[in-house]
Amino acid sequence: MKYKPVKVGVIGCGMISDIYLENLKNKFYITELIGCSDIVEEKAQRQAEKYGIRKMTNHEILNDPEIELIVNLTYASAHYEVNREILNAGKHCYCEKMMCITMDEAQELNRIRKEKNLMFASAPDTFLGAGMQTARYIIDIGLIGEPIQAQATLTRGYHMIKSDDDDAARKYSVMYEGGGIPYDMGGYYLHELFNIFGPVESVCGYAKTRNAERPYLNPRNSKFDDLFTVNTPNTFSAVMQFKNGVFGSMNISSEYDTGRNEFKIYGTRGILSIGDPNLFGDSIILEKNDMSTQIPLYFPYKTNSRGIGAADMAWALRTGRPPRISFEMGYHALEIINAILACTDDKKVKLLSTDFERPIPLAADIYSGGAEERSLFIYN
Ligand SMILES: NC(=O)c1ccc[n+]([C@@H]2O[C@H](COP(=O)([O-])OP(=O)(O)OC[C@H]3O[C@@H](n4cnc5c(N)ncnc54)[C@H](O)[C@@H]3O)[C@@H](O)[C@H]2O)c1
């Protein structure tokens, strides 16, 4: 084989680990999944057996001389510590969103990755999927004319707390600091807007925790109807000015669930509805001249391809190019969320200090089946 697969270890075997383990093992040629670990040993055991990989401890993954890349799938409150350990162990790191909670933590991670010359990036990687790559392409070729404004609205409830969850506030990340709705869903919308428009110049906004005391909703939970406290904002609204002059607004809440999810880019010659950035192949609808047209998805990875960001990083390691998801993108997203939270307190518009290069798109040619991955390999 011309390009040797990169050996990968996964830390964190919770809810999202299934699709990552499946894809890192079977979907991508360039990743060779070696093992997984979790602070709850049985979880690591279960996933290791299910995917035919080694059940390891964090220590074993961090010190395995063959593992080059570690994927951090722990919950948000553990991201910083685990990322720091991964980088200090001299391993490249791909972390689920977001990389950490505070800007001080991000600066420390940035320092270590630079000092050790390591690749480090954080999710979401859904913008590398067929839907969001097609949306960017349609805008880039001018089908909506000059883009003027972007608008993202999402509401979702908190009913997804698992019935066997003993500590909803900790484990269900939408209720927990660092994983709350600004960091969690905000990250998807921001990364897709970065993909389309590049970096943001300034931002202002408000965030609040509405109804902090709330009951467990699921009658199957032993704490059904007991109260728990939400310790993170569950509703925010923000306005951004991108460096290219486009205005963007986000209204996102986990306080109430209307099932409403709208993500639209308005241009001088049309409107593009770009679907759910949490998905890889949602519908892209062009509204123009009083007609709506569904756009065929021009790119590969239409189905759940989580792990594609880590696979892209693995290709970057083997071919010597930068990863499509840069450290700077995640850093910029984190700064925006922190700026919105700060603005809530001081009511002052924030000029951003972080910046990034707009990521290189996937190859627009249609590759199917086993050749799909060529679209990650091509980088120009
Ligand atoms: N659940 C989803 O639908 C979803 C979707 C996309 C992204 N994500 C992101 O993926 C990450 C994980 O989410 P999840 O839903 O799988 O969470 P989860 O709580 O189900 O799983 C996290 C796992 O990490 C383990 N863990 C915590 N600290 C650890 C440590 N120091 N060392 C080893 N293991 C540790 C926990 O024991 C747990 O098994 C979060 O950042 C989340 O935002 C989740």
Short mmCIF file of all heavy atoms in Angstrom, two decimals, residues 11-17 37-40 43 58 73-76 78-79 82 96-97 162 171 173 184 188 306, ligand 1:
data_model
loop_
_atom_site.label_atom_id
_atom_site.label_comp_id
_atom_site.label_asym_id
_atom_site.label_seq_id
_atom_site.Cartn_x
_atom_site.Cartn_y
_atom_site.Cartn_z
N ILE A 11 -10.68 7.52 22.98
CA ILE A 11 -10.93 7.67 24.42
C ILE A 11 -12.36 8.18 24.60
O ILE A 11 -12.71 9.24 24.07
CB ILE A 11 -9.91 8.64 25.08
CG1 ILE A 11 -8.49 8.09 24.92
CG2 ILE A 11 -10.26 8.86 26.55
CD1 ILE A 11 -7.40 8.93 25.60
N GLY A 12 -13.17 7.43 25.35
CA GLY A 12 -14.58 7.80 25.55
C GLY A 12 -15.48 6.88 24.74
O GLY A 12 -15.47 6.91 23.51
N CYS A 13 -16.23 6.03 25.43
CA CYS A 13 -17.07 5.03 24.74
C CYS A 13 -18.54 5.23 25.08
O CYS A 13 -19.25 4.30 25.47
CB CYS A 13 -16.63 3.62 25.14
SG CYS A 13 -14.98 3.23 24.57
N GLY A 14 -19.02 6.47 24.95
CA GLY A 14 -20.41 6.77 25.24
C GLY A 14 -21.28 6.70 24.00
O GLY A 14 -21.00 5.96 23.05
N MET A 15 -22.32 7.54 24.03
CA MET A 15 -23.38 7.46 23.02
C MET A 15 -22.87 7.62 21.58
O MET A 15 -23.25 6.88 20.70
CB MET A 15 -24.40 8.57 23.32
CG MET A 15 -25.75 8.34 22.66
SD MET A 15 -26.78 9.80 22.77
CE MET A 15 -27.08 9.91 24.50
N ILE A 16 -21.98 8.58 21.35
CA ILE A 16 -21.57 8.86 19.96
C ILE A 16 -20.47 7.93 19.49
O ILE A 16 -20.10 7.93 18.30
CB ILE A 16 -21.15 10.35 19.81
CG1 ILE A 16 -21.24 10.81 18.35
CG2 ILE A 16 -19.76 10.60 20.37
CD1 ILE A 16 -22.61 10.79 17.76
N SER A 17 -19.94 7.11 20.42
CA SER A 17 -18.77 6.31 20.03
C SER A 17 -19.11 5.26 18.97
O SER A 17 -18.25 4.90 18.16
CB SER A 17 -18.13 5.65 21.26
OG SER A 17 -18.99 4.69 21.82
N SER A 37 -10.90 3.21 25.12
CA SER A 37 -10.87 3.22 26.58
C SER A 37 -12.00 4.10 27.11
O SER A 37 -12.56 4.92 26.38
CB SER A 37 -9.53 3.78 27.08
OG SER A 37 -9.41 5.14 26.72
N ASP A 38 -12.32 3.90 28.39
CA ASP A 38 -13.33 4.74 29.05
C ASP A 38 -13.05 4.65 30.54
O ASP A 38 -12.57 3.61 31.03
CB ASP A 38 -14.74 4.23 28.74
CG ASP A 38 -15.81 5.28 29.05
OD1 ASP A 38 -16.04 5.58 30.25
OD2 ASP A 38 -16.40 5.81 28.10
N ILE A 39 -13.38 5.72 31.29
CA ILE A 39 -13.21 5.62 32.74
C ILE A 39 -14.15 4.57 33.31
O ILE A 39 -13.90 4.02 34.39
CB ILE A 39 -13.41 6.97 33.50
CG1 ILE A 39 -14.51 7.78 32.86
CG2 ILE A 39 -12.13 7.74 33.67
CD1 ILE A 39 -14.93 8.96 33.69
N VAL A 40 -15.24 4.30 32.62
CA VAL A 40 -16.11 3.19 33.02
C VAL A 40 -15.66 1.98 32.19
O VAL A 40 -15.93 1.89 30.99
CB VAL A 40 -17.59 3.52 32.75
CG1 VAL A 40 -18.48 2.39 33.22
CG2 VAL A 40 -17.97 4.84 33.40
N LYS A 43 -17.81 -0.02 29.72
CA LYS A 43 -18.18 0.61 28.44
C LYS A 43 -17.09 0.35 27.40
O LYS A 43 -17.39 0.05 26.24
CB LYS A 43 -18.35 2.12 28.64
CG LYS A 43 -19.62 2.51 29.37
CD LYS A 43 -19.69 4.03 29.45
CE LYS A 43 -21.10 4.53 29.50
NZ LYS A 43 -21.19 5.99 29.39
N ASN A 58 -6.81 4.53 29.31
CA ASN A 58 -6.30 5.79 28.74
C ASN A 58 -4.77 5.74 28.69
O ASN A 58 -4.14 6.11 27.69
CB ASN A 58 -6.71 6.99 29.61
CG ASN A 58 -8.18 7.34 29.47
OD1 ASN A 58 -8.93 6.60 28.85
ND2 ASN A 58 -8.58 8.45 30.05
N LEU A 73 -13.57 11.31 22.59
CA LEU A 73 -15.05 11.30 22.57
C LEU A 73 -15.61 11.36 23.98
O LEU A 73 -16.70 10.84 24.24
CB LEU A 73 -15.57 10.05 21.86
CG LEU A 73 -15.11 9.83 20.42
CD1 LEU A 73 -15.77 8.59 19.84
CD2 LEU A 73 -15.45 11.04 19.55
N THR A 74 -14.88 11.95 24.91
CA THR A 74 -15.40 12.10 26.27
C THR A 74 -16.43 13.24 26.26
O THR A 74 -16.57 13.95 25.28
CB THR A 74 -14.27 12.44 27.26
OG1 THR A 74 -13.67 13.68 26.87
CG2 THR A 74 -13.21 11.35 27.25
N TYR A 75 -17.14 13.41 27.39
CA TYR A 75 -18.09 14.53 27.43
C TYR A 75 -17.33 15.85 27.61
O TYR A 75 -16.15 15.87 27.96
CB TYR A 75 -19.17 14.34 28.50
CG TYR A 75 -18.76 13.64 29.78
CD1 TYR A 75 -17.83 14.21 30.62
CD2 TYR A 75 -19.32 12.41 30.12
CE1 TYR A 75 -17.46 13.57 31.80
CE2 TYR A 75 -18.96 11.76 31.29
CZ TYR A 75 -18.02 12.34 32.12
OH TYR A 75 -17.65 11.71 33.26
N ALA A 76 -18.05 16.94 27.35
CA ALA A 76 -17.40 18.25 27.21
C ALA A 76 -16.54 18.63 28.41
O ALA A 76 -15.46 19.19 28.25
CB ALA A 76 -18.46 19.32 26.96
N ALA A 78 -14.75 16.95 30.23
CA ALA A 78 -13.47 16.22 30.31
C ALA A 78 -12.55 16.56 29.14
O ALA A 78 -11.39 16.14 29.12
CB ALA A 78 -13.73 14.72 30.35
N HIS A 79 -13.06 17.32 28.15
CA HIS A 79 -12.27 17.53 26.93
C HIS A 79 -10.89 18.13 27.19
O HIS A 79 -9.89 17.65 26.67
CB HIS A 79 -13.04 18.43 25.95
CG HIS A 79 -14.14 17.71 25.24
ND1 HIS A 79 -14.97 18.32 24.32
CD2 HIS A 79 -14.55 16.42 25.28
CE1 HIS A 79 -15.85 17.44 23.85
NE2 HIS A 79 -15.62 16.29 24.44
N VAL A 82 -8.35 15.69 28.94
CA VAL A 82 -7.98 14.56 28.07
C VAL A 82 -7.16 15.06 26.87
O VAL A 82 -6.14 14.47 26.51
CB VAL A 82 -9.24 13.76 27.65
CG1 VAL A 82 -8.90 12.69 26.62
CG2 VAL A 82 -9.91 13.13 28.86
N GLU A 96 -14.02 15.68 19.89
CA GLU A 96 -15.40 16.10 19.66
C GLU A 96 -15.56 17.55 20.14
O GLU A 96 -14.78 18.06 20.93
CB GLU A 96 -16.38 15.16 20.35
CG GLU A 96 -17.21 14.30 19.40
CD GLU A 96 -17.98 15.09 18.33
OE1 GLU A 96 -18.36 16.24 18.56
OE2 GLU A 96 -18.19 14.53 17.24
N LYS A 97 -16.62 18.21 19.66
CA LYS A 97 -16.82 19.63 19.97
C LYS A 97 -17.09 19.83 21.46
O LYS A 97 -17.71 18.97 22.06
CB LYS A 97 -17.96 20.17 19.14
CG LYS A 97 -19.27 19.47 19.50
CD LYS A 97 -20.39 19.84 18.61
CE LYS A 97 -21.51 18.88 18.64
NZ LYS A 97 -21.88 18.14 19.81
N LYS A 162 -31.42 10.31 28.91
CA LYS A 162 -31.61 8.86 28.85
C LYS A 162 -32.31 8.36 30.10
O LYS A 162 -32.08 8.86 31.19
CB LYS A 162 -30.25 8.17 28.69
CG LYS A 162 -29.64 8.39 27.33
CD LYS A 162 -28.23 7.87 27.28
CE LYS A 162 -27.25 8.93 27.75
NZ LYS A 162 -25.87 8.47 27.79
N LYS A 171 -24.23 14.08 32.46
CA LYS A 171 -24.04 13.21 31.30
C LYS A 171 -24.77 13.71 30.06
O LYS A 171 -24.32 13.45 28.95
CB LYS A 171 -24.49 11.80 31.63
CG LYS A 171 -23.54 11.14 32.60
CD LYS A 171 -23.90 9.70 32.81
CE LYS A 171 -22.94 9.06 33.81
NZ LYS A 171 -23.53 7.89 34.42
N SER A 173 -25.10 16.33 27.83
CA SER A 173 -24.23 17.50 27.75
C SER A 173 -24.98 18.81 27.50
O SER A 173 -24.48 19.87 27.84
CB SER A 173 -23.18 17.29 26.67
OG SER A 173 -23.79 17.15 25.41
N ASP A 184 -22.69 23.29 22.10
CA ASP A 184 -23.09 22.05 21.42
C ASP A 184 -23.64 22.36 20.03
O ASP A 184 -22.95 22.17 19.03
CB ASP A 184 -24.12 21.32 22.28
CG ASP A 184 -24.52 19.99 21.69
OD1 ASP A 184 -23.61 19.23 21.30
OD2 ASP A 184 -25.72 19.70 21.60
N TYR A 188 -22.12 23.58 15.46
CA TYR A 188 -22.48 23.11 14.12
C TYR A 188 -22.74 24.29 13.18
O TYR A 188 -22.27 24.32 12.04
CB TYR A 188 -23.75 22.25 14.17
CG TYR A 188 -23.54 20.89 14.78
CD1 TYR A 188 -23.94 20.62 16.08
CD2 TYR A 188 -22.96 19.85 14.06
CE1 TYR A 188 -23.76 19.37 16.65
CE2 TYR A 188 -22.78 18.60 14.62
CZ TYR A 188 -23.18 18.37 15.91
OH TYR A 188 -22.99 17.13 16.47
N ARG A 306 -19.46 10.57 10.60
CA ARG A 306 -18.67 11.11 11.72
C ARG A 306 -17.36 10.35 11.80
O ARG A 306 -17.32 9.13 11.61
CB ARG A 306 -19.44 11.01 13.03
CG ARG A 306 -20.47 12.13 13.14
CD ARG A 306 -21.25 12.06 14.43
NE ARG A 306 -22.53 12.72 14.26
CZ ARG A 306 -22.76 14.02 14.50
NH1 ARG A 306 -21.80 14.79 14.94
NH2 ARG A 306 -23.96 14.52 14.32
N1 LIG B 1 -24.56 12.03 21.54
C1 LIG B 1 -24.59 12.65 20.40
O1 LIG B 1 -25.60 12.56 19.64
C2 LIG B 1 -23.43 13.44 19.92
C3 LIG B 1 -23.41 13.85 18.59
C4 LIG B 1 -22.31 14.53 18.12
C5 LIG B 1 -21.30 14.87 18.98
N2 LIG B 1 -21.35 14.52 20.28
C6 LIG B 1 -20.23 14.93 21.13
O2 LIG B 1 -19.46 13.77 21.46
C7 LIG B 1 -18.93 13.89 22.78
C8 LIG B 1 -19.39 12.71 23.60
O3 LIG B 1 -20.81 12.70 23.59
P1 LIG B 1 -21.63 11.43 24.05
O4 LIG B 1 -23.05 11.75 23.78
O5 LIG B 1 -21.02 10.19 23.49
O6 LIG B 1 -21.37 11.49 25.63
P2 LIG B 1 -21.51 10.32 26.72
O7 LIG B 1 -21.64 10.98 28.04
O8 LIG B 1 -22.53 9.32 26.29
O9 LIG B 1 -20.06 9.60 26.62
C9 LIG B 1 -18.87 10.17 27.09
C10 LIG B 1 -18.02 9.04 27.62
O10 LIG B 1 -16.75 9.56 28.02
C11 LIG B 1 -16.34 8.85 29.17
N3 LIG B 1 -15.32 9.66 29.87
C12 LIG B 1 -15.49 10.82 30.54
N4 LIG B 1 -14.31 11.27 31.00
C13 LIG B 1 -13.38 10.37 30.60
C14 LIG B 1 -11.97 10.28 30.76
N5 LIG B 1 -11.26 11.20 31.43
N6 LIG B 1 -11.33 9.21 30.23
C15 LIG B 1 -12.02 8.25 29.56
N7 LIG B 1 -13.36 8.29 29.37
C16 LIG B 1 -14.03 9.33 29.88
C17 LIG B 1 -17.62 8.66 29.98
O11 LIG B 1 -17.50 7.63 30.92
C18 LIG B 1 -18.60 8.35 28.86
O12 LIG B 1 -18.68 6.96 28.61
C19 LIG B 1 -19.43 15.24 23.31
O13 LIG B 1 -18.43 16.21 23.07
C20 LIG B 1 -20.65 15.55 22.45
O14 LIG B 1 -20.87 16.92 22.29
C21 LIG B 1 -22.38 13.78 20.76
#
